[in-house]
Amino acid sequence: MQDLRTQTPIKEGYVVAGGIRTRYFEAGSGPVVILLHGSSLAIDAWATWYNTMPALSQRFRVLAPDLVGFGLSDASPDGKLVSRLERRHHVFAFIQALGVTRCGLIGHSEGGFIAAMLALEHPDLVTEVVIVSSGATAPRL
């Protein structure tokens, strides 16, 4: 069995999304799938999705941003933690900054909450949602 991780080029890039310099990873081509990580110490898009991106990139254009204040994306201008309810605005700005008009969303933990909120608020944008290991589907825990 071949190891797709060693054969799949994953590019790292930066884009300004809602005024926040945002790091993201990209691989593959085709319909767009955006991967949203959860929130805990030392978590980012790479740590969450590096094993998943190669497989998905065989059929999709996969984008995985570091959410505002995580990984190598900038923190909010005031330096405060952005709540998961507000992080959805950053993700929407990221999607717009890359010119994506239709996408699927896969969210892990609090990323699942963000994915669900975006699907409810932008049904013309979001084609499907997958929520992975999330009890985080309400604004408050």
Side-chain angles (χ1 to χ4, degrees), residues 56-134:
L56 288 175
S57 71
Q58 301 302 300
R59 294 185 50 210
F60 302 99
R61 176 183 178 206
V62 182
L63 301 167
D66 284 347
L67 302 182
V68 57
F70 290 87
L72 294 181
S73 287
D74 288 347
S76 66
D78 63 7
K80 293 181 180 177
L81 177 67
V82 178
S83 74
R84 63 181 164 177
L85 190 57
E86 295 303 313
R87 267 183 258 142
R88 76 188 194 281
H89 300 305
H90 174 246
V91 174
F92 184 66
F94 169 78
I95 292 167
Q96 289 182 309
L98 291 179
V100 173
T101 58
R102 301 277 290 159
C103 63
L105 298 173
I106 300 175
H108 174 255
S109 188
E110 287 193 9
F113 170 80
I114 294 167
M117 288 297 298
L118 285 170
L120 290 170
E121 293 175 344
H122 303 283
D124 54 323
L125 169 68
V126 179
T127 57
E128 55 267 320
V129 174
V130 176
I131 298 175
V132 181
S133 298
S134 182

Side-chain angles (χ1 to χ4, degrees), residues 1-8 51 54:
M1 177 159 58
Q2 60 180 313
D3 186 352
L4 293 175
R5 291 174 299 176
T6 61
Q7 298 175 9
T8 303
N51 277 322

